[in-house]
Amino acid sequence: SKPNTINNTLIINIMDTDATSEFYLRYYVGHRDQMYGHEFLEIELRPGGKLRYANNSHYKNETMIRKQVHLSESVVREIQRIVEERFTQILFCSFLFQF
């Protein structure tokens, strides 16, 4: 039998261009196994405030859930502030869960 594989990814990209700042955040955690196939949870915050959510779970024959919303500039700035403030802790936790 194939071993289960677990993937955990956190991508943060902050680009400063002149006085404007573009913030990109993507969090993905997923696994692949023989019983349920490829299951994952993904959250992506794109420049311009587009927040996308996807949850692909086959538990109890569920189907993929996708949601999308647009966040205000102040909400995006607050998320960016929190991520920048907690960046070291986020990386450490992400590293721990890889093993």
Side-chain angles (χ1 to χ4, degrees):
S1 72
K2 288 180 156 180
N4 293 346
T5 57
I6 298 174
N7 296 311
N8 204 358
T9 305
L10 174 65
I11 299 170
I12 300 170
N13 187 19
I14 302 168
M15 300 182 327
D16 289 317
T17 55
D18 299 330
T20 64
S21 177
E22 291 192 9
F23 179 68
Y24 176 83
L25 173 77
R26 178 178 179 256
Y27 177 74
Y28 169 92
V29 61
H31 68 96
R32 185 178 306 273
D33 65 23
Q34 287 183 329
M35 183 177 292
Y36 297 113
H38 182 206
E39 296 187 305
F40 64 89
L41 170 74
E42 180 178 34
I43 299 170
E44 180 181 49
L45 178 55
R46 300 182 61 81
K50 182 189 286 188
L51 178 69
R52 295 175 16 169
Y53 167 86
N55 186 348
N56 189 33
S57 174
H58 301 294
Y59 180 70
K60 294 188 177 180
N61 295 320
E62 289 291 327
T63 59
M64 185 180 301
I65 300 167
R66 290 182 186 265
K67 301 290 180 184
Q68 179 175 302
V69 297
H70 288 274
L71 304 177
S72 70
E73 187 178 327
S74 61
V75 171
V76 173
R77 278 197 310 265
E78 180 63 11
I79 292 171
Q80 182 176 351
R81 184 193 67 77
I82 292 167
V83 168
E84 289 173 346
E85 186 177 285
R86 303 288 182 180
F87 187 68
T88 304
Q89 293 173 343
I90 290 170
L91 285 179
F92 181 71
C93 289
S94 180
F95 175 75
L96 285 179
F97 287 113
Q98 288 182 7
F99 298 100

